[in-house]
Amino acid sequence: MISTNTKDLLAMPIQEFIISSEKVAHVQMGNSAEHALLVLTRTGYSSIPVLDLKYRLQGLLSMKMITESILGLEHIEYEKLAEIKVDTIMDQDIAVLNLTDTFQKALDLVINHAFLCIVDEEGTFAGILTRRVILKQLKKYIYQKE
Ligand code: 2BA
């Protein structure tokens, strides 16, 4: 059985826990795989959002997607990096939440996703909610209970 306090935590809106969009490393539709490789390498993140010019979320891009796009039969075709556009290799199957969604919904999703993308009511990218932030909130809650 879930206690009343746990219910409070699970019912909290995620808005206050998100890393806002201006702090999130991203690439834009039309950017080259070469540019994306530089962003991923410099930031150190393994996967980042792809946004359009109106800041709407379009997909996710990871190092693996870039590597796969330049894998030839005999060798890695580095020369293709500048020609390949991120929109042709990104993953469009993304875990997305709204700013008004609850902690519980986020908790269910972060089991399978390292971070969740958050959009506002107009579909504009608002930021991300990371597994780290969710775990920190849970830890705070569990320790308070002891
Ligand atoms: P990963 O890049 O695979 O990072 C896994 C975990 O490693 C991160 O977990 C964080 O604890 C640590 N980490 C990796 N790179 C870091 C860095 N440059 N600075 C500080 N810590 C770093 P979370 O914080 O839970 O993040 C989960 C995922 O969310 C990351 O997976 C990344 O794909 C994405 N992410 C987090 N912050 C981001 C940001 N500011 N911009 C873009 N993507 C971000």
Side-chain angles (χ1 to χ4, degrees):
M1 194 160 115
I2 302 175
S3 72
T4 313
N5 284 339
T6 312
K7 275 188 188 155
D8 288 347
L9 174 75
L10 295 178
M12 278 179 83
I14 54 172
Q15 188 152 14
E16 66 178 283
F17 304 125
I18 75 168
I19 297 173
S20 62
S21 56
E22 63 273 13
K23 292 187 191 139
V24 178
H26 71 274
V27 286
Q28 275 186 333
M29 302 278 282
N31 281 166
S32 68
E34 186 175 33
H35 174 77
L37 182 63
L38 282 175
V39 175
L40 284 166
T41 307
R42 288 215 180 109
T43 59
Y45 295 120
S46 55
S47 173
I48 53 173
V50 181
L51 307 179
D52 67 15
L53 293 175
K54 290 186 169 166
Y55 241 62
R56 283 175 311 218
L57 182 66
Q58 299 295 331
L60 288 183
L61 193 80
S62 69
M63 201 64 105
K64 182 172 176 278
M65 293 167 202
I66 297 177
T67 315
E68 273 174 355
S69 74
I70 55 169
L71 267 191
L73 284 178
E74 306 266 312
H75 66 288
I76 297 175
E77 297 164 343
Y78 293 105
E79 63 283 0
K80 278 191 176 171
L81 277 174
E83 296 157 28
I84 298 168
K85 302 287 179 221
V86 292
D87 16 315
T88 62
I89 57 170
M90 68 186 184
D91 182 7
Q92 288 172 288
D93 185 18
I94 337 166
V96 187
L97 287 180
N98 292 304
L99 281 169
T100 50
D101 278 328
T102 61
F103 191 89
Q104 177 163 21
K105 199 163 176 189
L107 187 58
D108 289 342
L109 285 170
V110 288
I111 291 169
N112 290 324
H113 302 273
F115 69 101
L116 312 168
C117 291
I118 319 295
V119 295
D120 67 14
E121 58 283 353
E122 276 137 29
T124 308
F125 179 66
I128 59 172
L129 184 56
T130 63
R131 199 175 266 166
R132 176 186 159 85
V133 169
I134 295 263
L135 284 175
K136 269 176 94 174
Q137 289 306 316
L138 269 182
K139 181 182 164 189
K140 209 158 82 180
Y141 171 81
I142 291 165
Y143 287 3
Q144 265 172 9
K145 300 250 79 201
E146 280 173 357

